[in-house]
Amino acid sequence: MDKINFSDIGRKGAVSRLLERAGSSMRHSSAFLPSKNGVVRTSSRLWTEGIDFDLTYFPLKHLGYKCFIGTVGELYAALARPVSINVRISVSSKLEYPQICELWDGIIVAAKEHNISCIDLDLGPSRNGLLVSISISGETDGETENSKKQAKSKDLVCISGNVGGAYLGMCLLQQEKARIEKSGSLAEKMNLDNYKMIAGAYLKPEINPGVLDGLKESGIIPSYGYFIDRGLADAVKKLNEDSGLGVKLYSDKIPFEGNSFELGKRLNLDPMSAALNGGEDYRLLYVISMSDYEKFRHDFQSFSIIGHLAKSDVGTVIVMPTGAELPIRAQGWKETE
């Protein structure tokens, strides 16, 4: 790790050195030429210290990786391949060039995993902690865009992995932070031994970069796609609004990390509530035709089929094992009776 500080090289020198760390495989520009009939899409997010992350327990390299994943997911939901990334980092006085290198390395690792070929960066000062702004552009090919079928009742709702773990992981990290602060001992360490997967769901979420190739090879084109970053309920509400159809989810089909319910009991949190409204799981939700069921189940075994579309008067409901249908509520949505 470089021991050089910002005062030694200045803003321009720091930007140049960081871009060099990205390697020669990436062009230093965020502009790219789309293919014929391609549809360009862009996803942007701002990450704010104290609101979106806590540096007392968040490794900077993991943070950089997560900032990329949390931004690129919207492109995969729209069936767009990421091509270019534009990063702006506002640095507070408590961080120096070596720490920003760690953050940047996490972004670059994720960008390379997802085949980013164009990159741009700028740095600036911040009075109120670290700020990371990321904008990622990609492209949906014209054939995919024009081949989407209209969704209909009984189409299947699928998600790309476990949900609820990120919120539980964040709550666990906050609990451990409070315990250590109360102890007053600098030698204390967080006890995450039994919940490393759940803590990892919050600290370093992942998206399979091959998902679009897999869909293309299978000949499956989802009619709708959503990025689950504000809870499963939020994505389902958007699906209901966009499609004009009802959505039924089945509680016993929603996938959870193995010890989510054990941790939920310890934290006095309901894992189902964490899945529906917790946020930051960074999963993909796709709607596929019932006719693609066998092919999808065979080719996408990491996905879970958790429900289906229904008639519009159904609204959005979750079906319990008893058969009871409960309305799905989502934060940020105005509910009407």
Side-chain angles (χ1 to χ4, degrees):
M1 180 63 66
D2 291 304
K3 300 300 182 183
I4 298 170
N5 292 326
F6 285 119
S7 59
D8 301 319
I9 54 177
R11 183 193 67 81
K12 187 174 181 180
V15 170
S16 296
R17 285 170 176 262
L18 290 169
L19 286 172
E20 287 175 6
R21 291 176 75 93
S24 58
S25 62
M26 294 185 183
R27 184 164 57 87
H28 298 170
S29 169
S30 59
F32 68 96
L33 185 65
S35 60
K36 185 178 180 181
N37 299 323
V39 178
V40 176
R41 303 181 186 276
T42 299
S43 174
S44 302
R45 278 198 65 171
L46 175 66
W47 306 78
T48 305
E49 183 180 352
I51 297 176
D52 298 298
F53 57 88
D54 184 335
L55 288 182
T56 60
Y57 55 71
F58 217 126
L60 283 162
K61 190 169 184 179
H62 281 18
L63 176 61
Y65 190 98
K66 180 175 181 176
C67 288
F68 180 95
I69 296 299
T71 308
V72 80
E74 293 286 356
L75 296 184
Y76 284 111
L79 307 181
R81 297 178 186 276
V83 178
S84 73
I85 180 172
N86 193 314
V87 181
R88 297 292 181 266
I89 304 173
S90 295
V91 187
S92 67
S93 59
K94 68 180 180 181
L95 295 176
E96 267 293 354
Y97 177 70
Q99 286 78 47
I100 299 305
C101 282
E102 292 183 44
L103 175 74
W104 179 244
D105 287 350
I107 295 173
I108 293 303
V109 167
K112 289 182 176 180
E113 284 182 4
H114 291 265
N115 302 308
I116 293 289
S117 57
C118 305
I119 192 164
D120 190 36
L121 168 70
D122 200 5
L123 300 174
S126 169
R127 290 184 177 179
N128 300 308
L130 179 66
L131 300 173
V132 183
S133 173
I134 293 184
S135 180
I136 305 176
S137 294
E139 181 181 14
T140 305
D141 67 71
E143 181 182 354
T144 296
E145 190 69 23
N146 295 326
S147 299
K148 287 184 179 179
K149 298 178 181 178
Q150 185 174 356
K152 56 186 181 297
S153 181
K154 300 300 182 183
D155 281 358
L156 303 174
V157 178
C158 317
I159 58 172
S160 61
N162 299 329
V163 286
Y167 183 74
L168 291 171
M170 181 191 71
C171 292
L172 173 64
L173 289 164
Q174 290 178 337
Q175 184 188 75
E176 285 296 293
K177 175 187 173 182
R179 179 183 65 80
I180 292 171
E181 288 177 343
K182 186 177 180 180
S183 74
S185 172
L186 296 177
E188 283 276 357
K189 292 184 178 180
M190 289 192 171
N191 181 14
L192 307 175
D193 289 346
N194 296 326
Y195 308 107
K196 289 181 179 179
M197 294 293 289
I198 292 180
Y202 174 69
L203 295 174
K204 191 176 178 290
E206 298 181 2
I207 293 176
N208 178 8
V211 64
L212 298 186
D213 287 331
L215 288 170
K216 188 170 184 178
E217 290 170 8
S218 297
I220 298 173
I221 301 178
S223 55
Y224 288 96
Y226 298 92
F227 185 45
I228 304 175
D229 61 343
R230 293 179 176 88
L232 181 56
D234 180 76
V236 168
K237 285 288 187 180
K238 290 177 183 176
L239 172 58
N240 169 239
E241 184 177 79
D242 293 344
S243 68
L245 294 167
V247 185
K248 282 190 177 186
L249 301 186
Y250 292 83
S251 64
D252 57 353
K253 299 297 183 184
I254 296 174
F256 294 90
E257 186 61 48
N259 50 1
S260 292
F261 288 87
E262 176 190 333
L263 179 58
K265 185 177 294 186
R266 168 179 161 180
L267 299 173
N268 196 28
L269 292 170
D270 177 17
M272 183 63 73
S273 295
L276 291 174
N277 291 303
E280 297 197 46
D281 285 305
Y282 298 163
R283 302 303 189 189
L284 297 170
L285 181 149
Y286 289 133
V287 176
I288 65 165
S289 171
M290 176 66 84
S291 62
D292 289 325
Y293 168 72
E294 290 295 343
K295 191 187 305 180
F296 189 87
R297 189 179 65 168
H298 180 269
D299 294 349
F300 293 86
Q301 295 184 17
S302 63
F303 276 72
S304 297
I305 298 172
I306 61 170
H308 60 80
L309 300 185
K311 293 181 179 180
S312 58
D313 59 0
V314 169
T316 54
V317 299
I318 184 164
V319 183
M320 307 307 291
T322 59
E325 296 185 0
L326 306 179
I328 293 175
R329 309 291 186 185
Q331 297 174 10
W333 289 78
K334 183 178 179 181
E335 304 289 357
T336 57
E337 298 300 332

